[in-house]
Amino acid sequence: AMEVGGGDKEVVKEYFNNTGFQRWRKIYGDTDDVNTVQKDIRLGHSKTVENVMKMLIDEGTLKGVSVCDAGCGTGSLSIPLAKEGANVYASDISAAMVDEAQKNAREELFNGKEESSSSLVMPKFEVKDLESLQGKYDTVICLDVLIHYPQNKADAMISHLASLAENRLILSFAPLTFYYAALKRVGELFPGPSKATRAYLHAEADVERALQKVGWKIRKRGLVTTQFYFAKIVEAVPV
Ligand code: SAM
């Protein structure tokens, strides 16, 4: 087994700059060259983004609110955040992902026009692993990244993200329940060529404990499930 933070952060980085980048860019994109499973994951992931946007907007406008999108991928969340007027700081360990996110943001936010002629603010994109993120943001969001962290590394990751957030921390992760754990075991019996990195599922209670340890409590919970995609969403606030 590989571990994030030691050797396997490098493995994750390498994966998301190469085969993982090709695979996930397609899944997170809108082209037709996806298979049934990829199409299902695309749908599930888009529901996670929608769900999170709704959580945020229900609590008030995002205009001028600073949001850190940690592990931003191709910009699936950064772009809708910027459309709502948030000041977005987006970063990812993969330079290929950051390039793609930047390209997508330019297209979707400014549509080829001058940035200066728009009231929208381009997100600040940076190649950075989330462990080296610094500063303070009103809201920190980290979607579908915990899957790369075993629980013993997840606690430190959650604690670091909480230290950057003033008001809200939103996380999504693949939930560890008996059923999904069994599914994953079955999957491991038939490793395909695309399974270049290990996937770690997390028990909601473990995530909650990690948040409580640093003085945060869960205020809202959400669950997204499709056939092949499962995500638990939690919004935490300081106690
Ligand atoms: N959050 C994005 C979304 O929901 O559209 C992308 C999710 S994708 C499954 C996981 C992303 O996490 C990849 O882009 C990967 O490069 C990034 N990642 C993995 N480990 C990371 C780390 N330690 N620091 C920053 N980004 C990381």
Side-chain angles (χ1 to χ4, degrees):
M2 301 173 282
E3 282 184 34
V4 171
D8 96 339
K9 191 147 116 181
E10 279 309 308
V11 172
V12 167
K13 180 175 168 180
E14 158 79 15
Y15 172 71
F16 280 107
N17 270 315
N18 297 288
T19 53
F21 171 65
Q22 297 305 339
R23 175 180 157 84
W24 287 98
R25 174 176 66 160
K26 246 174 31 180
I27 292 174
Y28 293 154
D30 56 10
T31 53
D32 291 331
D33 57 343
V34 283
N35 63 36
T36 314
V37 174
Q38 291 171 328
K39 199 182 254 174
D40 177 83
I41 296 172
R42 177 189 280 176
L43 174 69
H45 174 260
S46 73
K47 286 186 180 191
T48 295
V49 171
E50 262 172 47
N51 209 312
V52 167
M53 288 305 297
K54 190 176 178 325
M55 263 186 189
L56 291 166
I57 290 166
D58 280 353
E59 286 158 19
T61 179
L62 286 172
K63 243 188 165 54
V65 175
S66 61
V67 183
C68 169
D69 181 8
C72 64
T74 59
S76 307
L77 177 72
S78 290
I79 295 167
L81 285 170
K83 282 186 179 162
E84 289 297 322
N87 295 328
V88 183
Y89 301 84
S91 54
D92 198 284
I93 197 171
S94 154
M97 284 290 188
V98 170
D99 277 356
E100 181 77 5
Q102 203 138 18
K103 201 186 88 202
N104 291 340
R106 263 191 218 107
E107 273 171 26
E108 289 188 43
L109 296 171
F110 306 108
N111 202 5
K113 294 193 196 74
E114 279 293 311
E115 276 176 45
S116 56
S117 68
S118 166
S119 60
L120 297 177
V121 183
M122 177 75 179
K124 280 198 180 62
F125 289 105
E126 218 179 341
V127 182
K128 215 169 204 192
D129 61 85
L130 59 85
E131 285 71 26
S132 21
L133 289 176
Q134 289 176 334
K136 288 280 182 194
Y137 309 88
D138 177 87
T139 302
V140 175
I141 309 180
C142 186
L143 300 188
D144 293 4
V145 180
L146 267 166
I147 190 133
H148 306 299
Y149 287 72
Q151 190 56 46
N152 65 330
K153 297 275 167 40
D155 278 36
M157 185 263 220
I158 290 169
S159 145
H160 179 59
L161 291 179
S163 78
L164 306 171
E166 272 160 350
N167 289 314
R168 282 188 293 220
L169 172 60
I170 297 180
L171 302 167
S172 74
F173 54 93
L176 174 66
T177 63
F178 178 80
Y179 173 68
Y180 301 137
L183 256 187
K184 185 178 165 274
R185 288 234 304 283
V186 171
E188 277 172 0
L189 297 175
F190 308 100
S194 63
K195 294 212 171 69
T197 56
R198 237 194 107 160
Y200 297 97
L201 309 180
H202 298 277
E204 190 175 347
D206 289 335
V207 171
E208 188 156 21
R209 209 172 299 121
L211 286 162
Q212 279 166 352
K213 249 182 11 196
V214 291
W216 286 63
K217 62 163 194 262
I218 296 179
R219 171 166 76 180
K220 281 186 193 165
R221 298 165 206 262
L223 180 68
V224 172
T225 69
T226 62
Q227 243 184 311
F228 299 99
Y229 176 94
F230 309 97
K232 192 93 207 181
I233 303 166
V234 297
E235 180 194 56
V237 292
V239 175

